[in-house]
Amino acid sequence: ESTLGAAAAQSGRYFGTAIASGKLNDPVYTTIANREFNSVTAENEMKIDATEPQRGRFDFTAADRVYNWAVQNGKEVRGHTLAWHSQQPGWMQNLSGGALRQAMIDHINGVMAHYKGKIVQWDVVNEAFEDGDSGARRNSNLQRTGNDWIEVAFRTARAADPAAKLCYNDYNIENWNWAKTQAVYAMVRDFKQRGVPIDCVGFQSHFNSGSPYNGNFRTTLRSFAALGVDVAITELDIQGASPTTYANVVNDCLAVERCVGITVWGVRDTDSWRSEQTPLLFDGGGNKKPAYTSVLNAL
Ligand code: XIL
């Protein structure tokens, strides 16, 4: 196969990218994005601050720009993200307790209603665990509404759009030996045991010198999948874009039946949120990097 999306499709998987609405008028960007990828995640446009800038006033202008571009070009869309401590609008940052809990529920209902039946997977909750050795929940305004906020988010989401697969998404949960990984694993196991609706776990996979790729990623993917959830690599970028590391990540996904697809977090290095790390598959001129060829060959 000659594109990432077509190559991934050979095994029934997708290969996606994050798309930024502000770049959709750049023909180099859209040409590569349209040619290579068959799944799209809005890089920022479906986040809380973008979709509900004022309480109860939903704005899907930018989100729909990304969504419509994707669908008009035959791609599936991952939703990102409904409940998160970051990129909250000011009004939400100022809420707490029962009012914040209700605002979270209303937000999930408002966004999911707009996209009902149109989103393959939703990242319902993003980054709810602490880094480091504690294995604790992240201390956020949402966490302070009560430990059950995550399951409430998932139950709300299931009722709002029963067709969408509901994911928990996080970073630094790729290494099986890390406390954060084990803490998320324990939560998913508990949810499955108690019947809290969860269908998938997203592994962001932002690999860099501080959180490097580790060969036990495959064990992590396999272990989560064994709990009865799909797994996906949702925001892949690798500092320096080592072709070997990129191939390892692809092979880890391919080795796990329930690994449904891979999304890279941007098209060209210059589009990356960490552009100084040159972590992506295309250089700033839109040329294929060695990592691109390595990924294509591994798929
Ligand atoms: C990043 C975007 O790439 C940036 O443009 C934005 O300024 C900050 O957010 N984890 C996530 C993503 O779940 O939403 C983040 O995206 C990167 C880390």
Side-chain angles (χ1 to χ4, degrees):
E1 292 298 334
S2 58
T3 68
L4 301 171
Q10 295 176 112
S11 68
R13 295 177 172 84
Y14 62 83
F15 206 100
T17 185
I19 288 287
S21 58
K23 291 180 178 161
L24 289 175
N25 48 15
D26 172 347
V28 177
Y29 179 81
T30 52
T31 298
I32 299 169
N34 191 23
R35 185 186 70 218
E36 296 289 342
F37 302 101
N38 52 15
S39 172
V40 161
T41 305
E43 186 171 2
N44 289 296
E45 292 79 355
M46 292 191 190
K47 292 174 180 175
I48 313 172
D49 56 354
T51 51
E52 196 179 358
Q54 305 295 326
R55 182 157 192 191
R57 297 205 171 177
F58 289 88
D59 182 349
F60 298 105
T61 313
D64 283 348
R65 222 172 268 147
V66 175
Y67 177 85
N68 290 331
W69 181 86
V71 169
Q72 281 159 12
N73 289 294
K75 297 156 198 342
E76 55 181 57
V77 179
R78 296 192 80 255
H80 177 77
T81 179
L82 298 166
W84 191 23
H85 69 278
S86 185
Q87 291 179 267
Q88 290 183 2
W91 64 264
M92 185 177 274
Q93 294 176 36
N94 290 329
L95 291 181
S96 61
L100 175 60
R101 176 64 67 90
Q102 192 57 49
M104 176 190 83
I105 292 168
D106 294 345
H107 180 78
I108 292 170
N109 282 326
V111 177
M112 291 189 84
H114 181 76
Y115 290 112
K116 192 169 182 188
K118 298 174 164 182
I119 299 284
V120 179
Q121 299 172 349
W122 262 113
D123 289 334
V124 177
V125 171
N126 199 31
E127 302 182 347
F129 282 78
E130 205 73 78
D131 286 309
D133 296 331
S134 71
R137 292 283 186 86
R138 179 190 295 269
N139 181 9
S140 68
N141 62 345
L142 288 163
Q143 179 62 27
R144 290 189 294 273
T145 69
N147 204 52
D148 63 341
W149 73 276
I150 299 180
E151 61 192 85
V152 168
F154 276 91
R155 290 188 201 280
T156 303
R158 176 67 92 229
D161 184 356
K165 299 277 192 207
L166 308 180
C167 304
Y168 177 79
N169 191 55
D170 213 332
Y171 66 92
N172 285 357
I173 59 167
E174 297 81 16
N175 187 327
W176 183 241
N177 295 327
W178 285 11
K180 186 172 174 180
T181 309
Q182 292 302 318
V184 173
Y185 177 82
M187 178 188 73
V188 175
R189 187 179 52 196
D190 171 60
F191 280 13
K192 294 301 284 186
Q193 279 169 357
R194 289 192 296 115
V196 178
I198 182 168
D199 307 305
C200 37
V201 175
F203 298 82
Q204 292 184 11
S205 307
H206 295 294
F207 294 116
N208 53 55
S209 46
S211 0
Y213 169 82
N214 183 290
N216 66 32
F217 188 22
R218 189 178 299 200
T219 300
T220 305
L221 294 172
R222 227 180 237 141
S223 301
F224 275 85
L227 294 175
V229 289
D230 287 340
V231 293
I233 294 167
T234 52
E235 304 183 14
L236 178 63
D237 51 20
I238 301 172
Q239 180 172 21
S242 154
T244 310
T245 309
Y246 261 107
N248 286 339
V249 173
V250 170
N251 284 323
D252 290 342
C253 180
L254 295 184
V256 177
E257 189 163 24
R258 292 198 78 156
C259 183
V260 293
I262 299 173
T263 298
V264 288
W265 206 240
V267 178
R268 300 160 299 192
D269 285 335
T270 42
D271 303 315
S272 170
W273 71 312
R274 291 177 165 170
S275 54
E276 73 288 351
Q277 295 184 4
T278 60
L280 294 175
L281 302 179
F282 294 86
D283 69 20
N287 305 297
K288 295 170 178 173
K289 294 166 62 181
Y292 171 92
T293 310
S294 177
V295 167
L296 187 65
N297 290 340
L299 283 168

